[in-house]
């Protein structure tokens, strides 16, 4: 009861359907490959991100350690600076004492020079008085000699 035209049409329809199925299978295979490549790419990106995160964590820990070390070094430097400042202050105080002693010695020296000058003046006055007294005495002696 099936006509040959119907068989040809059915065969043609079957070939079309097979062709469509084949195309769909190829498309599905292509999509699977594409999906597989995308998953592989994403896995690789994730691996790189994890490695980067580990490196950043290591670097952070090193920096934290270095910061602590630097802080300790800075503390040591500050302690040494404080000690040096105290030593400088002590030296300045000692210098002030020495300078004060020197200034006092200079003032005493000035006072002694004034005293020496005063004594020289007194000595000169006494010498003048002595010379006058001697001259008077010689005058008196000469007058007595003349009388005798």
């Amino acid at each position: 009861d099936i006509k040959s035209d119907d068989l040809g049409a059915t065969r043609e329809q079957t070939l079309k359907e097979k062709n469509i199925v084949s195309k769909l299978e190829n498309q599905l295979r292509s999509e699977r490959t594409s999906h597989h490549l995308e998953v592989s790419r994403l896995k690789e990106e994730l691996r790189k991100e994890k490695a980067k995160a580990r490196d950043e964590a290591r670097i952070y820990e090193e920096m934290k350690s270095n910061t602590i070390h630097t802080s300790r070094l800075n503390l040591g430097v500050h302690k040494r600076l404080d000690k040096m400042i105290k030593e400088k202050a002590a030296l300045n105080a000692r210098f002030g004492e020495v300078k004060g002693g020197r200034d006092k010695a200079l003032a005493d020296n000035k006072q002694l020079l004034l005293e020496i000058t005063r004594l020289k003046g007194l000595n000169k006055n006494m010498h003048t008085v002595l010379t006058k007294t001697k001259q008077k005495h010689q005058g008196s002696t000469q007058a007595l000699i003349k009388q005798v």
Side-chain angles (χ1 to χ4, degrees), residues 4-146:
S4 72
D5 281 345
D6 286 343
L7 279 178
T10 306
R11 200 184 267 155
E12 201 175 297
Q13 183 66 30
T14 305
L15 281 175
K16 278 183 183 176
E17 287 172 357
K18 276 187 179 178
N19 200 8
I20 289 171
V21 167
S22 177
K23 280 182 183 177
L24 287 174
E25 283 176 343
N26 285 339
Q27 189 177 355
L28 183 62
R29 234 180 273 120
S30 173
E31 284 178 8
R32 276 188 191 155
T33 304
S34 167
H35 178 71
H36 179 72
L37 289 174
E38 183 66 15
V39 168
S40 295
R41 187 185 65 76
L42 289 173
K43 280 182 179 177
E44 182 62 20
E45 272 185 36
L46 182 63
R47 188 191 62 74
K48 285 180 182 177
E49 285 296 320
K50 282 182 180 178
K52 186 177 175 185
R54 276 193 306 272
D55 286 347
E56 285 175 355
R58 182 185 48 79
I59 288 169
Y60 172 77
E61 287 302 318
E62 283 177 8
M63 286 173 64
K64 195 165 95 177
S65 172
N66 287 342
T67 301
I68 291 168
H69 182 66
T70 303
S71 294
R72 286 186 185 136
L73 286 178
N74 281 342
L75 188 63
V77 167
H78 283 297
K79 282 181 181 175
R80 284 197 300 263
L81 274 174
D82 287 345
K83 184 179 174 190
M84 289 170 74
I85 288 169
K86 286 176 187 168
E87 287 174 357
K88 185 178 184 243
L91 283 173
N92 282 343
R94 181 70 186 118
F95 175 73
E97 289 171 14
V98 169
K99 189 175 180 295
R102 193 189 103 222
D103 290 348
K104 186 180 179 316
L106 285 174
D108 289 351
N109 200 17
K110 239 182 206 174
Q111 202 60 39
L112 285 173
L113 285 173
L114 288 172
E115 188 66 19
I116 288 169
T117 305
R118 191 180 69 77
L119 287 173
K120 278 184 178 176
L122 279 177
N123 194 19
K124 192 174 184 182
N125 287 344
M126 287 187 71
H127 184 68
T128 306
V129 168
L130 268 175
T131 306
K132 286 182 181 175
T133 306
K134 195 174 173 186
Q135 286 172 351
K136 274 187 191 174
H137 184 68
Q138 277 182 345
S140 301
T141 307
Q142 301 253 333
L144 279 175
I145 291 174
K146 284 184 183 173

